Amino acid sequence: MLKYKIILWIMLCSILFLYDTYVFSQEPETTPPENVTAVDTPNDDGSSITVTWDSVRDDSVRSYKILRNTDGGEFEEIEEQLDVDTLEYKDSNIEKGKTHAYVIQAITDTDAILVSLQTEGVIATGQWFHSGKIQLFIAMIIFCGAILGSIYLCRNNQDVFVRRIPGLEAVNEAIGRATEMGRSILYVLGLGGVENVATIASMTILGQVARRTADYETPLRVPCNDPIVLNVVREMVKTSYLDEGRPDAYQEENIFYLTGDQFAYAAGVDGMMIREKPAAVFLQGTFYAESLLMAETGNSIGAIQIAGTDSEHQLPFFIAACDYTLIGEELYAASAYLSKEPMLLGSLRGQDWGKILIFVTIILGVTLELFGINWITTLLQSVR
Amino acid sequence: MEIIGIWVAAFLTLCIYSFLYRDNPFYRFAEHLFVGISVGYIIIINIHQGVIPLAWEPLSEAISALWAEIVGTTTPETRNALWGLFRILPIAIGLLFFARLSPRHTWLIRYPIAILIGFGAGVAIPNVLQANIFAQTRGTIEPFAAINAGTLSAWDTFGAILIAIGVICTLTYFFFSVEHRGPVKWASKVGIGFLMIGFGAAFGNTVMGRLALLIHRVGFLLNDWLGSFGAFFG
């Protein structure tokens, strides 16, 4: 009996051994990319489709290729050699209004191609409202509310204190100096376009400067590097001269287009400084690497220089080479400071309320984080 | 041909560098050449990347499609091209810039200007709010979560506290409707100190970058230009 039992055990073990040997000798089956989905990219203008897929569980796969068809036509390769870690692709070269379907090819070390199933056809559509920016929208409403409320209070004769900004106090001094010396004033708006916040602030300051140059009949030269900015500036300066009752003193040819190229513009402005020797130079707006070239040349001709920018990398050069520098937000505050108009002063106070809100958020956020409560950070993280 | 290019580049480089001595005809020549070429180049770029693909082509296709619609030879492609007719509106607004040429109609230019500034501010302000306010506020607060979790080193903890103090004090400096005296004065003084330290670091960093550019240009003069003497004269 025992003998039969031993033979039975040996046979059972042999069968198990042979089965295991067979199973483990087989190569794992390599499957193509799975769960390939194509969806219309949310919160865009309908110009892209996002394709996602699951990672292939095989070390031999070295890259992916994406193929696309349009309105059920032939599949064409649209992107080759995507990294093996890539599991998402945003196709921004689609044809609007047409149906696109995708397949993913996984390429192995032996150049074998594993083709996924075809996705559903997708038509990209644009969204009117970006749902990811709701928090930003609420913040905008709060900031705008603070500014509008402050403007309302200022219009109702509530006095607004504005602290002294030395750079702006020097504006009258610079214009007066140019008038006394019988020389021109050079106003440089930087390289920003009309959509740039610093350029808009700079144009508002220019409006105030132009009022004074209209009074004193001091020539005001403004070389522009953007044709649209040129037109806006001409309108603003002309309006300032009209407001001061001196339309005859306005000279349109003094506000001109120089060039749109960064260093050609710097070379042109430098040449003007050296040849015309303006008594005052205003460098207000957005500046890049040309900032020091212009500020240093202005310094070398002995002009009084008032600079202002929100480009933090250029501020050190202005501080080093100019007489006065408006740092960052001082540039935005300048128009209110110079004009003392209730609307602008109200907006300045409204901005201060916004800063108080940031101030409180930081102190509250830091305190809560130290106690392990992180809802403020989570809220800030959700803003895109 | 390549050698001629090197010699022209070297000549213009030396013309621009001559400004270091004083204004002179060589600098003036290079300056005017530079400004003139850049203006011409930008005009051509704008025509080829703006006027032709964004205005001329879609509009001419749309007009052809409209004609096809009238004569009854319409296809799905021509029907799609009809959407290009909507471009007449922005093109017309853009053309209002030319109103400046007629003194009686100059006022019309205010419409495209108002649209552009409104559009520009509308696009820029939310981005500034996101990048300059929300992202930086978050960046100031976030390290304190790591301090609470005990995962931040002593040095990094010191850095996080220093940044928080720096942000608060610098923010105080930019309060305009509050008189800077008492604690506000001292906080803003600390804030301006932080700003100056930051500017000093940025200054040094940028100067190093500019020196690299100078070295590259001098390298061009010494290696490429002087190196080409043999080929030019030999």
PDB file of all heavy atoms in Angstrom, chain A residues 143-158:
ATOM      1  N   PHE A 143     -11.682  91.921  -5.996  1.00  0.00           N
ATOM      2  CA  PHE A 143     -10.729  93.028  -6.221  1.00  0.00           C
ATOM      3  C   PHE A 143     -11.431  94.206  -6.909  1.00  0.00           C
ATOM      4  O   PHE A 143     -11.235  95.360  -6.528  1.00  0.00           O
ATOM      5  CB  PHE A 143      -9.545  92.559  -7.065  1.00  0.00           C
ATOM      6  CG  PHE A 143      -8.496  91.864  -6.252  1.00  0.00           C
ATOM      7  CD1 PHE A 143      -8.307  90.500  -6.349  1.00  0.00           C
ATOM      8  CD2 PHE A 143      -7.679  92.572  -5.389  1.00  0.00           C
ATOM      9  CE1 PHE A 143      -7.344  89.851  -5.598  1.00  0.00           C
ATOM     10  CE2 PHE A 143      -6.712  91.929  -4.624  1.00  0.00           C
ATOM     11  CZ  PHE A 143      -6.550  90.566  -4.726  1.00  0.00           C
ATOM     12  N   CYS A 144     -12.234  93.879  -7.924  1.00  0.00           N
ATOM     13  CA  CYS A 144     -12.933  94.955  -8.637  1.00  0.00           C
ATOM     14  C   CYS A 144     -13.913  95.658  -7.701  1.00  0.00           C
ATOM     15  O   CYS A 144     -14.040  96.885  -7.742  1.00  0.00           O
ATOM     16  CB  CYS A 144     -13.697  94.401  -9.849  1.00  0.00           C
ATOM     17  SG  CYS A 144     -12.614  93.877 -11.153  1.00  0.00           S
ATOM     18  N   GLY A 145     -14.574  94.865  -6.830  1.00  0.00           N
ATOM     19  CA  GLY A 145     -15.504  95.449  -5.862  1.00  0.00           C
ATOM     20  C   GLY A 145     -14.790  96.410  -4.928  1.00  0.00           C
ATOM     21  O   GLY A 145     -15.287  97.511  -4.650  1.00  0.00           O
ATOM     22  N   ALA A 146     -13.610  96.000  -4.457  1.00  0.00           N
ATOM     23  CA  ALA A 146     -12.817  96.862  -3.561  1.00  0.00           C
ATOM     24  C   ALA A 146     -12.442  98.161  -4.276  1.00  0.00           C
ATOM     25  O   ALA A 146     -12.539  99.253  -3.699  1.00  0.00           O
ATOM     26  CB  ALA A 146     -11.567  96.121  -3.102  1.00  0.00           C
ATOM     27  N   ILE A 147     -12.048  98.045  -5.540  1.00  0.00           N
ATOM     28  CA  ILE A 147     -11.627  99.242  -6.292  1.00  0.00           C
ATOM     29  C   ILE A 147     -12.831 100.156  -6.568  1.00  0.00           C
ATOM     30  O   ILE A 147     -12.765 101.362  -6.333  1.00  0.00           O
ATOM     31  CB  ILE A 147     -10.909  98.824  -7.589  1.00  0.00           C
ATOM     32  CG1 ILE A 147      -9.536  98.245  -7.242  1.00  0.00           C
ATOM     33  CG2 ILE A 147     -10.747 100.011  -8.547  1.00  0.00           C
ATOM     34  CD1 ILE A 147      -8.814  97.581  -8.377  1.00  0.00           C
ATOM     35  N   LEU A 148     -13.931  99.555  -7.017  1.00  0.00           N
ATOM     36  CA  LEU A 148     -15.110 100.370  -7.325  1.00  0.00           C
ATOM     37  C   LEU A 148     -15.657 101.049  -6.063  1.00  0.00           C
ATOM     38  O   LEU A 148     -16.045 102.223  -6.096  1.00  0.00           O
ATOM     39  CB  LEU A 148     -16.196  99.511  -7.988  1.00  0.00           C
ATOM     40  CG  LEU A 148     -15.880  99.030  -9.405  1.00  0.00           C
ATOM     41  CD1 LEU A 148     -16.952  98.078  -9.894  1.00  0.00           C
ATOM     42  CD2 LEU A 148     -15.780 100.211 -10.366  1.00  0.00           C
ATOM     43  N   GLY A 149     -15.663 100.296  -4.947  1.00  0.00           N
ATOM     44  CA  GLY A 149     -16.115 100.870  -3.671  1.00  0.00           C
ATOM     45  C   GLY A 149     -15.248 102.044  -3.267  1.00  0.00           C
ATOM     46  O   GLY A 149     -15.754 103.095  -2.843  1.00  0.00           O
ATOM     47  N   SER A 150     -13.943 101.899  -3.413  1.00  0.00           N
ATOM     48  CA  SER A 150     -13.013 102.977  -3.043  1.00  0.00           C
ATOM     49  C   SER A 150     -13.206 104.184  -3.953  1.00  0.00           C
ATOM     50  O   SER A 150     -13.149 105.327  -3.491  1.00  0.00           O
ATOM     51  CB  SER A 150     -11.573 102.484  -3.129  1.00  0.00           C
ATOM     52  OG  SER A 150     -11.391 101.411  -2.277  1.00  0.00           O
ATOM     53  N   ILE A 151     -13.427 103.921  -5.240  1.00  0.00           N
ATOM     54  CA  ILE A 151     -13.655 105.031  -6.173  1.00  0.00           C
ATOM     55  C   ILE A 151     -14.921 105.788  -5.771  1.00  0.00           C
ATOM     56  O   ILE A 151     -14.949 107.022  -5.739  1.00  0.00           O
ATOM     57  CB  ILE A 151     -13.755 104.509  -7.634  1.00  0.00           C
ATOM     58  CG1 ILE A 151     -12.383 104.034  -8.118  1.00  0.00           C
ATOM     59  CG2 ILE A 151     -14.280 105.596  -8.575  1.00  0.00           C
ATOM     60  CD1 ILE A 151     -12.414 103.326  -9.457  1.00  0.00           C
ATOM     61  N   TYR A 152     -15.949 105.019  -5.413  1.00  0.00           N
ATOM     62  CA  TYR A 152     -17.214 105.645  -5.005  1.00  0.00           C
ATOM     63  C   TYR A 152     -16.988 106.545  -3.789  1.00  0.00           C
ATOM     64  O   TYR A 152     -17.458 107.689  -3.753  1.00  0.00           O
ATOM     65  CB  TYR A 152     -18.234 104.543  -4.698  1.00  0.00           C
ATOM     66  CG  TYR A 152     -19.543 105.059  -4.174  1.00  0.00           C
ATOM     67  CD1 TYR A 152     -20.486 105.631  -5.038  1.00  0.00           C
ATOM     68  CD2 TYR A 152     -19.837 105.005  -2.813  1.00  0.00           C
ATOM     69  CE1 TYR A 152     -21.678 106.128  -4.545  1.00  0.00           C
ATOM     70  CE2 TYR A 152     -21.032 105.500  -2.321  1.00  0.00           C
ATOM     71  CZ  TYR A 152     -21.946 106.060  -3.193  1.00  0.00           C
ATOM     72  OH  TYR A 152     -23.131 106.559  -2.703  1.00  0.00           O
ATOM     73  N   LEU A 153     -16.240 106.026  -2.805  1.00  0.00           N
ATOM     74  CA  LEU A 153     -15.993 106.816  -1.591  1.00  0.00           C
ATOM     75  C   LEU A 153     -15.188 108.075  -1.906  1.00  0.00           C
ATOM     76  O   LEU A 153     -15.452 109.143  -1.376  1.00  0.00           O
ATOM     77  CB  LEU A 153     -15.249 105.955  -0.552  1.00  0.00           C
ATOM     78  CG  LEU A 153     -16.081 104.858   0.108  1.00  0.00           C
ATOM     79  CD1 LEU A 153     -15.203 103.980   0.984  1.00  0.00           C
ATOM     80  CD2 LEU A 153     -17.205 105.478   0.934  1.00  0.00           C
ATOM     81  N   CYS A 154     -14.193 107.919  -2.796  1.00  0.00           N
ATOM     82  CA  CYS A 154     -13.346 109.069  -3.149  1.00  0.00           C
ATOM     83  C   CYS A 154     -14.152 110.132  -3.890  1.00  0.00           C
ATOM     84  O   CYS A 154     -13.924 111.324  -3.704  1.00  0.00           O
ATOM     85  CB  CYS A 154     -12.177 108.627  -4.009  1.00  0.00           C
ATOM     86  SG  CYS A 154     -10.934 107.857  -3.029  1.00  0.00           S
ATOM     87  N   ARG A 155     -15.072 109.694  -4.718  1.00  0.00           N
ATOM     88  CA  ARG A 155     -15.888 110.665  -5.458  1.00  0.00           C
ATOM     89  C   ARG A 155     -16.814 111.420  -4.515  1.00  0.00           C
ATOM     90  O   ARG A 155     -17.295 112.494  -4.844  1.00  0.00           O
ATOM     91  CB  ARG A 155     -16.696 109.948  -6.533  1.00  0.00           C
ATOM     92  CG  ARG A 155     -15.840 109.680  -7.757  1.00  0.00           C
ATOM     93  CD  ARG A 155     -16.689 109.153  -8.874  1.00  0.00           C
ATOM     94  NE  ARG A 155     -15.944 109.171 -10.129  1.00  0.00           N
ATOM     95  CZ  ARG A 155     -16.356 108.578 -11.225  1.00  0.00           C
ATOM     96  NH1 ARG A 155     -17.487 107.913 -11.221  1.00  0.00           N
ATOM     97  NH2 ARG A 155     -15.643 108.632 -12.329  1.00  0.00           N
ATOM     98  N   ASN A 156     -17.088 110.793  -3.379  1.00  0.00           N
ATOM     99  CA  ASN A 156     -17.922 111.472  -2.387  1.00  0.00           C
ATOM    100  C   ASN A 156     -17.066 112.264  -1.409  1.00  0.00           C
ATOM    101  O   ASN A 156     -17.329 112.303  -0.209  1.00  0.00           O
ATOM    102  CB  ASN A 156     -18.779 110.444  -1.648  1.00  0.00           C
ATOM    103  CG  ASN A 156     -19.912 109.972  -2.523  1.00  0.00           C
ATOM    104  OD1 ASN A 156     -20.661 110.771  -3.076  1.00  0.00           O
ATOM    105  ND2 ASN A 156     -20.017 108.673  -2.704  1.00  0.00           N
ATOM    106  N   ASN A 157     -15.981 112.787  -1.961  1.00  0.00           N
ATOM    107  CA  ASN A 157     -15.121 113.731  -1.230  1.00  0.00           C
ATOM    108  C   ASN A 157     -14.389 113.150  -0.027  1.00  0.00           C
ATOM    109  O   ASN A 157     -14.044 113.885   0.886  1.00  0.00           O
ATOM    110  CB  ASN A 157     -15.919 114.959  -0.775  1.00  0.00           C
ATOM    111  CG  ASN A 157     -16.405 115.747  -1.974  1.00  0.00           C
ATOM    112  OD1 ASN A 157     -15.710 115.808  -2.989  1.00  0.00           O
ATOM    113  ND2 ASN A 157     -17.584 116.310  -1.864  1.00  0.00           N
ATOM    114  N   GLN A 158     -14.217 111.867   0.005  1.00  0.00           N
ATOM    115  CA  GLN A 158     -13.408 111.344   1.095  1.00  0.00           C
ATOM    116  C   GLN A 158     -11.928 111.503   0.711  1.00  0.00           C
ATOM    117  O   GLN A 158     -11.530 111.087  -0.382  1.00  0.00           O
ATOM    118  CB  GLN A 158     -13.719 109.863   1.326  1.00  0.00           C
ATOM    119  CG  GLN A 158     -13.212 109.390   2.674  1.00  0.00           C
ATOM    120  CD  GLN A 158     -13.448 107.905   2.848  1.00  0.00           C
ATOM    121  OE1 GLN A 158     -12.675 107.104   2.352  1.00  0.00           O
ATOM    122  NE2 GLN A 158     -14.512 107.571   3.540  1.00  0.00           N
TER     123      GLN A 158
END
